[in-house]
Amino acid sequence: MGWLLFAILAWLGGMAVNIRLARRKPTRWSGLAAPFVFGLTLLAVWEGVVRGFAINQVLLPAPSVIAVRFANSLDILWVDFVQTVLKGAMSGYAIGCGAAFLIAVMIDRFPFLQRGLLPVGNFVAALPVIGMAPILVMWFGFDWQSKAAVVVVMVFFPMLVNTVQGLQASDAMQRDLMRTYAADYWRTLLKLRLPAAMPFIFNGLKIGTTLALIGAIVAEFFGSPIKGMGFRISTSVGQLALDLVWAEIVVAAIAGSAFYGAMTLIEKTVTFWHPSQRS
């Protein structure tokens, strides 16, 4: 009963703090404090409900149990992070987004490619990762290279479509003005069309940050060496070590949020002139 009361009080307290923050004038710190308070409230309620109802730790571990397992498994979590995020997800993300950008420029330069490539791209983008992953694992082996290949397929077409759309964002009057200055295609691309396309390009890059991590983890379910976040999750579920599964989920959430946040900061620096970035 005491834990349930703790959960109720935590929820009411967190709600009161967030209501007070919402009534204040929006600032940078209040914008950061609101999700932080909500997260702490959610963890407190989770702890109280699990303890109060005596939920089996195999079904749903308490946050305190997950935190203890996290602290005791830092060496395992780091090895899995390097294997899945740094090797599989990041390499595939760089290759996929880089190749998509170059092909988008080629499509923009030679319009006949747009009629041929984009429909095929939309078709491949609709394929489920759970169907592609086993094939790519068989082609590229069980190490991180096959996971990078899955990530390449997942991030390539969202990046391609956004970049092609962005390169068409400049209007006809702006392009005519560049022609009056005797600017050729490449000078127009660098001076006008790429800067105008930056919001679209970063939209594709931000979409790719989440897809890359998902693709790398899911691909490890279909074969990997004895390390990696997907491998650890699948084997830990079989061993009923749900606290370690949740610890891996925490690492994935932190990595994904940091990756997305870093891309957002770069976007704010590059596209500071865009109306969406003005406060």
Side-chain angles (χ1 to χ4, degrees):
M1 189 64 184
W3 281 106
L4 293 178
L5 180 60
F6 169 78
I8 294 172
L9 292 177
W11 176 259
L12 293 176
M15 184 171 62
V17 173
N18 270 328
I19 290 174
R20 187 172 181 180
L21 288 173
R23 290 175 176 172
R24 298 181 61 183
K25 183 179 179 180
T27 62
R28 181 179 180 182
W29 296 111
S30 64
L32 294 174
F36 180 75
V37 171
F38 182 82
L40 288 180
T41 303
L42 185 61
L43 290 176
V45 172
W46 180 356
E47 183 82 24
V49 169
V50 170
R51 300 288 186 182
F53 287 105
I55 298 176
N56 193 316
Q57 296 295 317
V58 173
L59 297 177
L60 183 63
S64 58
V65 175
I66 298 171
V68 171
R69 186 58 182 262
F70 187 97
N72 294 334
S73 305
L74 289 177
D75 52 344
I76 296 174
L77 297 174
W78 173 251
V79 170
D80 293 342
F81 172 81
V82 171
Q83 176 72 12
T84 302
V85 178
L86 298 186
K87 292 183 178 180
M90 295 297 290
S91 59
Y93 178 84
I95 295 171
C97 291
F101 177 80
L102 294 177
I103 293 178
V105 174
M106 291 177 59
I107 289 175
D108 184 71
R109 184 69 179 91
F110 306 104
F112 73 91
L113 292 176
Q114 183 172 353
R115 295 190 293 270
L117 283 178
L118 288 186
V120 175
N122 292 330
F123 173 78
V124 176
L127 295 176
V129 62
I130 198 170
M132 296 184 299
I135 298 173
L136 293 175
V137 168
M138 293 299 295
W139 287 356
F140 294 96
F142 292 97
D143 209 347
W144 62 268
Q145 291 86 351
S146 58
K147 287 65 182 176
V150 173
V151 173
V152 168
V153 174
M154 291 192 67
V155 305
F156 180 86
F157 294 103
M159 181 66 183
L160 178 68
V161 171
N162 277 278
T163 305
V164 170
Q165 184 179 4
L167 291 174
Q168 298 171 354
S170 57
D171 57 42
M173 184 176 296
Q174 293 172 323
R175 293 192 294 271
D176 288 341
L177 179 62
M178 293 298 292
R179 280 193 288 269
T180 62
Y181 293 149
D184 59 10
Y185 171 81
W186 297 107
R187 186 175 295 276
T188 302
L189 179 70
L190 293 175
K191 299 293 185 179
L192 171 64
R193 306 186 74 185
L194 271 182
M198 280 301 163
F200 296 86
I201 293 173
F202 276 102
N203 187 47
L205 290 172
K206 289 189 292 185
I207 293 173
T209 58
T210 55
L211 293 178
L213 199 56
I214 293 171
I217 293 175
V218 171
E220 289 181 342
F221 291 164
F222 298 94
S224 67
I226 54 172
K227 56 185 176 180
M229 299 172 71
F231 165 80
R232 198 74 57 192
I233 290 173
S234 61
T235 55
S236 298
V237 168
Q239 298 167 355
L240 298 181
L242 269 296
D243 52 351
L244 184 55
V245 172
W246 280 98
E248 293 283 359
I249 292 173
V250 170
V251 173
I254 294 173
S257 300
F259 195 10
Y260 186 91
M263 201 57 60
T264 301
L265 290 176
I266 296 173
E267 180 187 17
K268 287 181 179 294
T269 302
V270 174
T271 63
F272 62 91
W273 49 269
H274 195 264
S276 64
Q277 304 299 334
R278 297 172 187 167
S279 57

